[in-house]
Amino acid sequence: MTDAATIRAQLPGAPRALVHEHQDALIAGLMDYVSHPSVSATGEGFPAATDHALDEVKRAGLTPSVLVGDGGRPLVVGHRAGPAGSPHVLLYGHYDVQPAGPRERWNSDPFTPVLRDGRIWGRGTGDNKGQHYAHLQALRLFDEYAGQLPCSVTVLLDGEEEIGSPTLAATLGAHRELFEGCDLVVWSDRSVHESGEWCVSHGVRGMVRLRLRATGPSRPLHSGNFGNVATNPAWQLVQALACLKDPAGRVLVEGFEDGREPLPDADRAAFAALPLDLPQVLGDIGLSGMDPAFDGLSFYERLADRPTLTINGISTGDVARTIIPDTAEAGVDIRLTPGQDPQAVFERVAAHLRVHAPEVTVTKTGGTPASRTTIDNPYTPRVAAAVSRVTGRPPLLIPAYGGTLPDWVFTGVLGLPSIGLPLANADQANHAPNENLRVDYFLDATAICMELLLELGAADGPLARPTATEA
Protein backbone atom coordinates (compact mmCIF):
# COMPACT_ATOMS: atom_id res chain seq x y z
CA MET A 1 0.00 0.00 0.00
CA THR A 2 1.41 3.43 -0.97
CA ASP A 3 1.89 6.19 1.57
CA ALA A 4 -1.00 8.12 0.03
CA ALA A 5 -3.19 5.03 0.18
CA THR A 6 -2.19 4.51 3.82
CA ILE A 7 -3.15 8.08 4.65
CA ARG A 8 -6.46 7.72 2.82
CA ALA A 9 -7.18 4.59 4.85
CA GLN A 10 -6.50 6.50 8.10
CA LEU A 11 -9.28 8.99 7.37
CA PRO A 12 -12.61 8.08 8.99
CA GLY A 13 -14.35 8.41 5.63
CA ALA A 14 -14.05 9.92 2.17
CA PRO A 15 -12.82 13.54 2.20
CA ARG A 16 -16.19 14.91 1.11
CA ALA A 17 -18.02 13.12 3.93
CA LEU A 18 -15.35 14.18 6.43
CA VAL A 19 -15.63 17.81 5.38
CA HIS A 20 -19.40 17.79 5.72
CA GLU A 21 -19.03 16.29 9.19
CA HIS A 22 -16.94 19.35 10.12
CA GLN A 23 -18.94 21.91 8.15
CA ASP A 24 -20.14 23.98 11.11
CA ALA A 25 -16.59 24.52 12.38
CA LEU A 26 -15.29 25.19 8.86
CA ILE A 27 -17.94 27.82 8.17
CA ALA A 28 -17.43 29.49 11.56
CA GLY A 29 -13.67 29.55 11.07
CA LEU A 30 -13.94 31.17 7.65
CA MET A 31 -16.36 33.79 8.90
CA ASP A 32 -13.96 34.69 11.70
CA TYR A 33 -11.09 34.93 9.20
CA VAL A 34 -13.08 37.22 6.89
CA SER A 35 -14.04 39.48 9.80
CA HIS A 36 -10.48 40.78 10.03
CA PRO A 37 -9.84 43.49 7.39
CA SER A 38 -6.73 43.18 5.24
CA VAL A 39 -6.92 45.93 2.62
CA SER A 40 -3.49 46.19 1.03
CA ALA A 41 -4.34 49.33 -0.96
CA THR A 42 -5.07 51.41 2.15
CA GLY A 43 -3.38 49.44 4.93
CA GLU A 44 -6.68 48.85 6.76
CA GLY A 45 -6.21 45.89 9.07
CA PHE A 46 -2.44 45.62 8.71
CA PRO A 47 -0.17 44.51 10.37
CA ALA A 48 -2.71 42.45 12.37
CA ALA A 49 -3.87 40.85 9.08
CA THR A 50 -0.49 39.18 8.70
CA ASP A 51 -0.74 37.73 12.21
CA HIS A 52 -4.19 36.31 11.45
CA ALA A 53 -2.90 34.64 8.27
CA LEU A 54 0.09 33.32 10.18
CA ASP A 55 -2.22 31.82 12.82
CA GLU A 56 -4.20 30.00 10.11
CA VAL A 57 -1.00 28.54 8.65
CA LYS A 58 0.04 27.30 12.10
CA ARG A 59 -3.40 25.74 12.71
CA ALA A 60 -2.96 23.82 9.47
CA GLY A 61 0.08 22.07 10.96
CA LEU A 62 2.70 23.88 8.91
CA THR A 63 5.97 25.43 10.01
CA PRO A 64 5.39 29.16 9.42
CA SER A 65 7.61 32.03 8.36
CA VAL A 66 7.14 35.59 7.16
CA LEU A 67 8.97 37.18 4.23
CA VAL A 68 9.03 40.93 3.75
CA GLY A 69 10.14 42.51 0.49
CA ASP A 70 11.41 46.03 -0.01
CA GLY A 71 8.57 48.11 1.38
CA GLY A 72 5.92 45.51 0.57
CA ARG A 73 3.23 43.79 2.56
CA PRO A 74 4.51 40.56 4.16
CA LEU A 75 4.29 37.14 2.55
CA VAL A 76 3.16 34.36 4.86
CA VAL A 77 4.79 31.00 4.16
CA GLY A 78 4.16 27.56 5.66
CA HIS A 79 5.90 24.25 4.95
CA ARG A 80 5.53 20.60 5.84
CA ALA A 81 7.39 17.67 4.34
CA GLY A 82 5.56 14.64 3.03
CA PRO A 83 6.73 11.05 2.52
CA ALA A 84 10.19 10.61 1.02
CA GLY A 85 10.12 10.86 -2.74
CA SER A 86 6.66 12.35 -2.90
CA PRO A 87 6.01 15.42 -5.07
CA HIS A 88 6.29 18.89 -3.57
CA VAL A 89 3.41 21.27 -4.33
CA LEU A 90 3.41 25.02 -3.72
CA LEU A 91 -0.10 26.29 -2.92
CA TYR A 92 -0.60 30.01 -3.65
CA GLY A 93 -3.30 32.36 -2.43
CA HIS A 94 -3.51 35.90 -1.09
CA TYR A 95 -4.76 37.18 2.23
CA ASP A 96 -5.15 40.81 1.22
CA VAL A 97 -8.51 42.04 -0.07
CA GLN A 98 -9.98 44.89 -2.08
CA PRO A 99 -11.32 48.01 -0.36
CA ALA A 100 -14.96 47.65 0.65
CA GLY A 101 -16.12 50.49 -1.58
CA PRO A 102 -19.38 52.35 -0.93
CA ARG A 103 -20.78 50.86 2.29
CA GLU A 104 -24.33 51.86 1.35
CA ARG A 105 -24.23 49.41 -1.56
CA TRP A 106 -23.61 46.45 0.75
CA ASN A 107 -26.55 44.54 2.19
CA SER A 108 -24.51 43.95 5.35
CA ASP A 109 -21.25 45.22 6.77
CA PRO A 110 -18.40 43.98 4.52
CA PHE A 111 -16.26 42.92 7.47
CA THR A 112 -19.05 41.42 9.53
CA PRO A 113 -19.67 38.27 7.50
CA VAL A 114 -23.21 36.95 7.34
CA LEU A 115 -24.47 33.47 6.50
CA ARG A 116 -27.59 33.93 4.36
CA ASP A 117 -29.27 32.04 1.52
CA GLY A 118 -26.58 29.37 1.44
CA ARG A 119 -23.77 31.91 1.05
CA ILE A 120 -21.24 33.68 3.24
CA TRP A 121 -21.33 37.41 2.48
CA GLY A 122 -18.33 39.64 3.16
CA ARG A 123 -15.23 41.16 1.62
CA GLY A 124 -12.64 38.46 0.92
CA THR A 125 -15.01 35.49 1.08
CA GLY A 126 -14.33 34.47 -2.51
CA ASP A 127 -11.32 36.64 -3.26
CA ASN A 128 -9.34 35.14 -1.74
CA LYS A 129 -9.67 34.08 1.88
CA GLY A 130 -12.29 31.41 1.30
CA GLN A 131 -10.22 29.78 -1.41
CA HIS A 132 -6.92 29.46 0.42
CA TYR A 133 -8.77 28.74 3.68
CA ALA A 134 -10.13 25.60 1.96
CA HIS A 135 -6.55 24.48 1.27
CA LEU A 136 -5.50 25.21 4.85
CA GLN A 137 -8.43 23.28 6.30
CA ALA A 138 -7.65 20.31 4.07
CA LEU A 139 -4.14 20.32 5.53
CA ARG A 140 -5.53 20.63 9.04
CA LEU A 141 -7.82 17.62 8.58
CA PHE A 142 -4.90 15.50 7.36
CA ASP A 143 -2.92 16.59 10.40
CA GLU A 144 -5.77 15.76 12.76
CA TYR A 145 -6.65 12.33 11.39
CA ALA A 146 -3.43 11.03 9.79
CA GLY A 147 -0.69 13.05 11.47
CA GLN A 148 1.01 13.54 8.10
CA LEU A 149 0.48 14.79 4.57
CA PRO A 150 0.34 12.71 1.38
CA CYS A 151 2.98 14.91 -0.26
CA SER A 152 5.26 17.81 0.61
CA VAL A 153 3.46 21.14 0.78
CA THR A 154 4.54 24.77 0.87
CA VAL A 155 1.81 27.38 1.27
CA LEU A 156 2.45 30.92 0.06
CA LEU A 157 -0.03 33.65 1.03
CA ASP A 158 0.54 36.97 -0.71
CA GLY A 159 -0.17 40.18 1.21
CA GLU A 160 -0.31 42.50 -1.80
CA GLU A 161 -1.90 40.65 -4.72
CA GLU A 162 -4.69 43.23 -4.93
CA ILE A 163 -2.11 45.95 -5.63
CA GLY A 164 -0.23 43.95 -8.25
CA SER A 165 2.19 41.94 -6.05
CA PRO A 166 4.96 44.50 -6.67
CA THR A 167 7.57 42.84 -4.43
CA LEU A 168 6.66 39.16 -4.94
CA ALA A 169 9.19 38.35 -7.67
CA ALA A 170 12.13 39.97 -5.90
CA THR A 171 11.21 38.44 -2.54
CA LEU A 172 10.86 34.91 -3.89
CA GLY A 173 14.04 35.35 -5.90
CA ALA A 174 15.89 36.28 -2.71
CA HIS A 175 14.55 33.22 -0.87
CA ARG A 176 14.79 30.51 -3.51
CA GLU A 177 16.01 28.04 -0.91
CA LEU A 178 12.49 27.90 0.56
CA PHE A 179 11.12 26.61 -2.74
CA GLU A 180 13.87 24.21 -3.78
CA GLY A 181 12.46 20.86 -4.79
CA CYS A 182 9.02 22.21 -5.66
CA ASP A 183 7.50 20.34 -8.59
CA LEU A 184 4.27 22.20 -9.14
CA VAL A 185 2.38 25.35 -8.21
CA VAL A 186 -1.37 25.23 -7.68
CA TRP A 187 -3.05 28.60 -7.29
CA SER A 188 -6.68 29.00 -6.27
CA ASP A 189 -8.13 32.34 -7.29
CA ARG A 190 -10.74 33.69 -9.68
CA SER A 191 -14.01 31.75 -10.24
CA VAL A 192 -15.21 28.49 -11.66
CA HIS A 193 -16.40 28.58 -15.28
CA GLU A 194 -19.27 30.94 -16.11
CA SER A 195 -21.47 27.87 -16.61
CA GLY A 196 -20.95 26.94 -12.95
CA GLU A 197 -18.78 23.94 -13.85
CA TRP A 198 -15.58 23.31 -11.92
CA CYS A 199 -12.50 23.92 -14.01
CA VAL A 200 -8.71 23.66 -14.16
CA SER A 201 -6.90 26.68 -15.57
CA HIS A 202 -3.49 26.93 -17.23
CA GLY A 203 -2.42 30.53 -17.12
CA VAL A 204 -3.37 34.17 -17.23
CA ARG A 205 -2.94 37.22 -19.42
CA GLY A 206 -0.41 39.86 -18.50
CA MET A 207 -1.09 43.56 -18.13
CA VAL A 208 0.40 47.00 -18.56
CA ARG A 209 -1.32 49.85 -16.73
CA LEU A 210 -0.91 53.40 -18.02
CA ARG A 211 -1.86 56.88 -16.89
CA LEU A 212 -2.22 59.60 -19.55
CA ARG A 213 -2.21 63.23 -18.41
CA ALA A 214 -2.68 66.57 -20.12
CA THR A 215 -2.34 69.95 -18.42
CA GLY A 216 -3.67 73.38 -19.30
CA PRO A 217 -4.22 76.60 -17.34
CA SER A 218 -3.10 76.99 -13.76
CA ARG A 219 -6.70 76.69 -12.53
CA PRO A 220 -10.13 75.83 -13.96
CA LEU A 221 -11.41 78.73 -16.08
CA HIS A 222 -14.82 80.13 -17.06
CA SER A 223 -15.47 78.68 -20.50
CA GLY A 224 -17.22 81.83 -21.71
CA ASN A 225 -14.45 84.17 -20.60
CA PHE A 226 -11.54 82.02 -21.77
CA GLY A 227 -12.94 79.74 -24.50
CA ASN A 228 -10.82 80.00 -27.69
CA VAL A 229 -8.10 81.60 -25.57
CA ALA A 230 -6.96 78.89 -23.13
CA THR A 231 -5.80 75.47 -24.29
CA ASN A 232 -8.23 72.79 -23.14
CA PRO A 233 -6.42 69.70 -21.77
CA ALA A 234 -9.59 67.63 -22.08
CA TRP A 235 -9.47 67.97 -25.88
CA GLN A 236 -5.78 67.11 -25.86
CA LEU A 237 -6.47 63.98 -23.86
CA VAL A 238 -9.39 62.86 -26.03
CA GLN A 239 -7.32 63.32 -29.19
CA ALA A 240 -4.43 61.39 -27.65
CA LEU A 241 -6.72 58.49 -26.79
CA ALA A 242 -8.26 58.59 -30.27
CA CYS A 243 -4.84 58.30 -31.92
CA LEU A 244 -4.34 54.87 -30.36
CA LYS A 245 -7.11 53.22 -32.39
CA ASP A 246 -8.69 53.78 -35.81
CA PRO A 247 -12.48 54.28 -36.17
CA ALA A 248 -12.90 50.51 -36.66
CA GLY A 249 -11.23 49.81 -33.30
CA ARG A 250 -7.90 48.49 -34.59
CA VAL A 251 -4.84 49.48 -32.54
CA LEU A 252 -2.56 51.83 -34.47
CA VAL A 253 0.57 51.47 -32.31
CA GLU A 254 3.37 50.05 -34.43
CA GLY A 255 4.52 46.65 -33.16
CA PHE A 256 1.66 46.45 -30.64
CA GLU A 257 1.38 42.66 -31.01
CA ASP A 258 5.11 41.95 -31.38
CA GLY A 259 6.24 38.89 -29.45
CA ARG A 260 2.76 37.36 -29.30
CA GLU A 261 3.04 33.59 -29.26
CA PRO A 262 0.45 31.79 -31.39
CA LEU A 263 -2.27 29.95 -29.55
CA PRO A 264 -1.13 26.29 -29.29
CA ASP A 265 -3.27 23.72 -31.08
CA ALA A 266 -4.04 21.97 -27.78
CA ASP A 267 -5.31 25.25 -26.32
CA ARG A 268 -7.40 26.01 -29.38
CA ALA A 269 -9.00 22.56 -29.16
CA ALA A 270 -9.66 23.02 -25.43
CA PHE A 271 -11.41 26.34 -26.05
CA ALA A 272 -13.56 24.75 -28.76
CA ALA A 273 -14.71 22.14 -26.23
CA LEU A 274 -15.85 24.67 -23.61
CA PRO A 275 -19.58 25.33 -23.21
CA LEU A 276 -20.64 28.78 -24.38
CA ASP A 277 -24.06 30.39 -24.68
CA LEU A 278 -22.85 33.57 -26.38
CA PRO A 279 -26.27 35.30 -26.59
CA GLN A 280 -26.72 34.76 -22.86
CA VAL A 281 -23.21 36.00 -22.05
CA LEU A 282 -23.78 39.13 -24.09
CA GLY A 283 -27.32 39.59 -22.81
CA ASP A 284 -26.10 39.47 -19.22
CA ILE A 285 -23.93 42.52 -19.89
CA GLY A 286 -26.53 44.36 -21.96
CA LEU A 287 -25.02 43.79 -25.40
CA SER A 288 -26.25 42.17 -28.60
CA GLY A 289 -22.90 41.66 -30.31
CA MET A 290 -19.14 41.52 -29.76
CA ASP A 291 -16.61 44.24 -30.57
CA PRO A 292 -16.63 44.54 -34.39
CA ALA A 293 -12.89 45.27 -34.43
CA PHE A 294 -12.29 41.54 -34.01
CA ASP A 295 -14.87 40.12 -36.39
CA GLY A 296 -13.85 36.62 -37.43
CA LEU A 297 -12.42 35.72 -34.02
CA SER A 298 -14.34 33.54 -31.60
CA PHE A 299 -15.20 34.58 -28.03
CA TYR A 300 -12.26 32.72 -26.50
CA GLU A 301 -9.78 33.72 -29.23
CA ARG A 302 -10.52 37.35 -28.39
CA LEU A 303 -9.73 36.67 -24.73
CA ALA A 304 -6.67 34.47 -25.23
CA ASP A 305 -5.05 35.12 -28.59
CA ARG A 306 -4.99 38.92 -28.86
CA PRO A 307 -3.83 41.76 -26.60
CA THR A 308 -6.35 44.41 -25.58
CA LEU A 309 -6.21 48.18 -25.20
CA THR A 310 -8.89 49.51 -22.85
CA ILE A 311 -9.75 52.97 -21.57
CA ASN A 312 -10.66 52.43 -17.92
CA GLY A 313 -11.81 55.94 -17.14
CA ILE A 314 -11.41 59.64 -17.93
CA SER A 315 -11.28 62.49 -15.43
CA THR A 316 -11.51 66.09 -16.65
CA GLY A 317 -13.27 68.00 -13.89
CA ASP A 318 -16.84 68.69 -12.82
CA VAL A 319 -19.26 68.02 -15.70
CA ALA A 320 -21.89 70.26 -14.08
CA ARG A 321 -19.73 73.36 -14.35
CA THR A 322 -19.11 75.31 -17.57
CA ILE A 323 -15.34 75.36 -17.28
CA ILE A 324 -12.12 74.73 -19.10
CA PRO A 325 -10.43 72.17 -16.81
CA ASP A 326 -6.83 72.64 -15.71
CA THR A 327 -5.95 68.93 -16.04
CA ALA A 328 -7.32 65.82 -17.71
CA GLU A 329 -6.32 62.23 -16.97
CA ALA A 330 -7.16 58.80 -18.29
CA GLY A 331 -6.42 55.29 -17.05
CA VAL A 332 -5.62 52.69 -19.69
CA ASP A 333 -4.86 48.99 -19.37
CA ILE A 334 -3.37 46.64 -21.94
CA ARG A 335 -3.88 42.91 -21.43
CA LEU A 336 -0.98 40.91 -22.84
CA THR A 337 -0.73 37.45 -24.33
CA PRO A 338 2.17 35.05 -23.64
CA GLY A 339 5.42 36.18 -25.25
CA GLN A 340 4.78 39.93 -24.96
CA ASP A 341 7.09 42.02 -22.79
CA PRO A 342 5.27 44.64 -20.68
CA GLN A 343 8.10 47.18 -20.83
CA ALA A 344 8.48 46.83 -24.60
CA VAL A 345 4.75 47.32 -25.14
CA PHE A 346 4.77 50.41 -22.92
CA GLU A 347 7.70 51.88 -24.84
CA ARG A 348 5.91 51.37 -28.18
CA VAL A 349 2.79 53.10 -26.88
CA ALA A 350 4.86 55.95 -25.42
CA ALA A 351 6.73 56.39 -28.72
CA HIS A 352 3.42 56.51 -30.60
CA LEU A 353 2.08 59.20 -28.28
CA ARG A 354 5.27 61.26 -28.55
CA VAL A 355 4.67 61.49 -32.29
CA HIS A 356 0.89 61.93 -32.37
CA ALA A 357 0.14 63.62 -29.02
CA PRO A 358 3.39 65.14 -27.68
CA GLU A 359 1.52 67.43 -25.26
CA VAL A 360 0.26 64.43 -23.28
CA THR A 361 2.48 62.57 -20.80
CA VAL A 362 2.18 58.81 -20.31
CA THR A 363 3.34 56.91 -17.24
CA LYS A 364 3.47 53.18 -16.64
CA THR A 365 1.84 52.43 -13.30
CA GLY A 366 2.16 48.64 -13.44
CA GLY A 367 3.37 45.78 -15.59
CA THR A 368 2.96 42.00 -15.35
CA PRO A 369 3.87 39.42 -18.01
CA ALA A 370 1.41 36.79 -19.15
CA SER A 371 1.95 33.19 -18.07
CA ARG A 372 1.06 29.88 -19.70
CA THR A 373 1.49 26.25 -18.65
CA THR A 374 0.87 23.71 -21.39
CA ILE A 375 -2.53 22.13 -21.07
CA ASP A 376 -1.11 18.65 -21.80
CA ASN A 377 1.29 18.69 -18.81
CA PRO A 378 1.45 15.54 -16.62
CA TYR A 379 -0.10 17.21 -13.54
CA THR A 380 -3.44 18.28 -15.00
CA PRO A 381 -4.91 14.74 -15.06
CA ARG A 382 -4.18 14.45 -11.32
CA VAL A 383 -5.80 17.80 -10.54
CA ALA A 384 -8.78 16.88 -12.70
CA ALA A 385 -9.09 13.51 -10.98
CA ALA A 386 -9.26 15.24 -7.59
CA VAL A 387 -12.16 17.38 -8.77
CA SER A 388 -13.93 14.39 -10.28
CA ARG A 389 -13.67 12.36 -7.06
CA VAL A 390 -15.68 15.02 -5.23
CA THR A 391 -18.08 16.30 -7.90
CA GLY A 392 -18.62 13.09 -9.86
CA ARG A 393 -17.79 14.70 -13.21
CA PRO A 394 -14.60 15.88 -14.94
CA PRO A 395 -13.77 19.58 -14.74
CA LEU A 396 -13.44 21.82 -17.76
CA LEU A 397 -9.84 22.31 -18.91
CA ILE A 398 -9.21 25.98 -19.62
CA PRO A 399 -6.11 27.42 -21.32
CA ALA A 400 -4.60 30.78 -20.35
CA TYR A 401 -7.00 33.70 -20.76
CA GLY A 402 -8.93 36.34 -18.86
CA GLY A 403 -7.56 38.47 -16.04
CA THR A 404 -4.11 38.86 -14.54
CA LEU A 405 -2.38 37.22 -11.57
CA PRO A 406 1.34 37.06 -10.64
CA ASP A 407 1.55 33.59 -12.19
CA TRP A 408 4.65 34.59 -14.20
CA VAL A 409 6.62 34.65 -10.96
CA PHE A 410 6.12 30.89 -10.65
CA THR A 411 6.61 29.97 -14.30
CA GLY A 412 9.31 32.58 -15.00
CA VAL A 413 11.22 33.24 -11.77
CA LEU A 414 10.87 29.79 -10.17
CA GLY A 415 10.58 27.91 -13.48
CA LEU A 416 7.69 25.71 -12.33
CA PRO A 417 4.52 24.50 -14.03
CA SER A 418 1.57 26.35 -12.56
CA ILE A 419 -2.06 25.23 -12.59
CA GLY A 420 -5.10 27.17 -11.50
CA LEU A 421 -7.80 25.50 -9.43
CA PRO A 422 -10.52 28.15 -8.91
CA LEU A 423 -12.69 27.35 -5.91
CA ALA A 424 -15.27 30.17 -5.82
CA ASN A 425 -18.67 30.44 -7.48
CA ALA A 426 -18.89 32.37 -10.74
CA ASP A 427 -21.18 35.02 -9.21
CA GLN A 428 -18.97 35.73 -6.21
CA ALA A 429 -18.99 39.50 -6.95
CA ASN A 430 -15.31 39.83 -6.16
CA HIS A 431 -14.08 43.45 -6.06
CA ALA A 432 -17.73 44.54 -5.86
CA PRO A 433 -20.30 45.15 -3.12
CA ASN A 434 -21.90 42.02 -1.66
CA GLU A 435 -18.99 39.70 -2.35
CA ASN A 436 -19.97 36.18 -1.40
CA LEU A 437 -18.96 32.52 -1.36
CA ARG A 438 -21.47 29.72 -1.76
CA VAL A 439 -21.24 27.30 1.14
CA ASP A 440 -21.63 24.24 -1.09
CA TYR A 441 -18.70 25.35 -3.22
CA PHE A 442 -16.59 26.04 -0.13
CA LEU A 443 -17.24 22.61 1.36
CA ASP A 444 -16.61 20.80 -1.91
CA ALA A 445 -13.51 22.95 -2.41
CA THR A 446 -12.07 21.76 0.90
CA ALA A 447 -12.71 18.14 -0.08
CA ILE A 448 -11.16 18.75 -3.52
CA CYS A 449 -8.04 20.13 -1.83
CA MET A 450 -7.75 16.93 0.22
CA GLU A 451 -8.23 14.76 -2.86
CA LEU A 452 -5.64 16.84 -4.72
CA LEU A 453 -2.92 16.07 -2.18
CA LEU A 454 -3.87 12.40 -2.18
CA GLU A 455 -3.70 12.28 -5.98
CA LEU A 456 -0.34 14.06 -6.10
CA GLY A 457 1.05 11.89 -3.32
CA ALA A 458 0.15 8.55 -4.89
CA ALA A 459 3.56 6.88 -4.83
CA ASP A 460 2.68 4.44 -7.59
CA GLY A 461 1.87 7.25 -10.03
CA PRO A 462 4.14 8.74 -12.69
CA LEU A 463 4.74 11.91 -10.69
CA ALA A 464 6.54 10.43 -7.72
CA ARG A 465 10.15 11.57 -7.56
CA PRO A 466 12.80 8.96 -6.71
CA THR A 467 14.24 8.91 -3.23
CA ALA A 468 17.97 9.40 -2.81
CA THR A 469 18.54 5.66 -2.62
CA GLU A 470 16.44 5.00 -5.70
CA ALA A 471 18.33 7.61 -7.67
Side-chain angles (χ1 to χ4, degrees):
M1 183 177 288
T2 66
D3 288 317
T6 301
I7 292 172
R8 185 184 291 276
Q10 290 174 328
L11 302 177
R16 191 170 191 269
L18 183 60
V19 166
H20 279 266
E21 181 183 331
H22 289 262
Q23 62 178 320
D24 291 344
L26 291 170
I27 292 168
L30 176 57
M31 293 178 70
D32 177 69
Y33 191 27
V34 171
S35 71
H36 301 285
S38 51
V39 184
S40 53
T42 63
E44 181 183 1
F46 283 88
T50 303
D51 294 333
H52 292 304
L54 197 64
D55 287 342
E56 294 298 340
V57 167
K58 292 176 183 177
R59 289 182 64 238
L62 306 178
T63 300
S65 59
V66 175
L67 307 180
V68 182
D70 185 13
R73 307 283 182 201
L75 297 169
V76 174
V77 180
H79 177 73
R80 185 167 183 174
S86 65
H88 183 177
V89 59
L90 172 63
L91 302 174
Y92 171 82
H94 63 90
Y95 69 96
D96 67 322
V97 302
Q98 282 281 312
R103 299 294 176 111
E104 66 274 11
R105 297 185 63 184
W106 285 80
N107 293 332
S108 54
D109 184 85
F111 295 112
T112 305
V114 174
L115 180 61
R116 185 180 67 248
D117 301 326
R119 300 173 185 241
I120 304 172
W121 304 81
R123 175 60 84 223
T125 49
D127 187 18
N128 175 259
K129 290 182 176 178
Q131 300 202 45
H132 69 254
Y133 190 80
H135 282 288
L136 292 173
Q137 298 317 296
L139 296 170
R140 185 180 64 80
L141 289 172
F142 277 123
D143 182 52
E144 180 177 346
Y145 286 102
Q148 60 179 323
L149 301 180
C151 62
S152 294
V153 171
T154 296
V155 168
L156 175 63
L157 302 182
D158 194 344
E160 51 184 14
E161 190 276 341
E162 296 292 6
I163 55 174
S165 301
T167 67
L168 180 63
T171 304
L172 296 194
H175 296 277
R176 287 179 178 270
E177 71 282 358
L178 296 178
F179 310 99
E180 287 181 0
C182 282
D183 299 293
L184 169 70
V185 176
V186 173
W187 51 266
S188 290
D189 204 338
R190 297 169 45 174
S191 305
V192 301
H193 189 259
E194 292 84 354
S195 64
E197 292 291 323
W198 294 88
C199 61
V200 179
S201 181
H202 296 80
V204 295
R205 287 194 289 190
M207 182 168 61
V208 179
R209 298 192 67 184
L210 309 177
R211 180 63 58 92
L212 277 64
R213 190 170 194 268
T215 58
S218 60
R219 65 181 186 277
L221 301 175
H222 188 292
S223 63
N225 294 341
F226 289 95
N228 295 336
V229 173
T231 300
N232 189 326
W235 280 115
Q236 294 177 326
L237 179 66
V238 168
Q239 289 160 358
L241 293 170
C243 84
L244 296 174
K245 286 189 174 185
D246 68 14
R250 292 182 291 265
V251 177
L252 297 173
V253 176
E254 184 177 355
F256 183 69
E257 294 192 4
D258 284 3
R260 178 177 67 87
E261 298 173 356
L263 196 64
D265 290 342
D267 288 20
R268 199 175 299 276
F271 278 131
L274 293 179
L276 175 66
D277 185 338
L278 185 57
Q280 179 177 336
V281 171
L282 295 175
D284 286 344
I285 57 175
L287 299 178
S288 59
M290 294 192 290
D291 188 337
F294 294 93
D295 282 348
L297 292 182
S298 69
F299 176 82
Y300 287 112
E301 285 176 317
R302 292 164 181 253
L303 296 176
D305 200 28
R306 296 292 189 278
T308 71
L309 195 156
T310 303
I311 299 172
N312 306 131
I314 300 173
S315 174
T316 61
D318 186 350
V319 298
R321 291 188 295 157
T322 53
I323 61 168
I324 298 171
D326 55 335
T327 61
E329 291 188 331
V332 171
D333 78 57
I334 300 168
R335 300 287 177 160
L336 307 175
T337 62
Q340 292 189 286
D341 176 63
Q343 182 63 26
V345 172
F346 164 70
E347 290 173 358
R348 293 182 189 115
V349 173
H352 182 87
L353 289 171
R354 282 196 297 270
V355 172
H356 297 282
E359 66 282 356
V360 172
T361 60
V362 57
T363 305
K364 186 178 78 167
T365 59
T368 303
S371 176
R372 173 190 286 150
T373 293
T374 58
I375 203 166
D376 53 357
N377 72 86
Y379 294 96
T380 290
R382 294 285 181 148
V383 180
V387 176
S388 299
R389 279 184 178 270
V390 175
T391 66
R393 58 187 183 275
L396 302 176
L397 303 184
I398 299 183
Y401 86 107
T404 302
L405 292 167
D407 193 43
W408 72 276
V409 176
F410 308 125
T411 58
V413 176
L414 298 183
L416 297 171
S418 180
I419 295 177
L421 180 60
L423 300 175
N425 40 290
D427 59 348
Q428 63 170 298
N430 49 329
H431 294 207
N434 299 313
E435 181 180 347
N436 67 90
L437 181 64
R438 278 177 46 173
V439 170
D440 57 343
Y441 273 82
F442 169 58
L443 297 177
D444 278 354
T446 305
I448 288 170
C449 294
M450 294 186 72
E451 292 286 4
L452 171 66
L453 299 183
L454 288 165
E455 286 290 335
L456 292 177
D460 56 350
L463 304 182
R465 295 188 290 119
T467 62
T469 56
E470 292 171 332

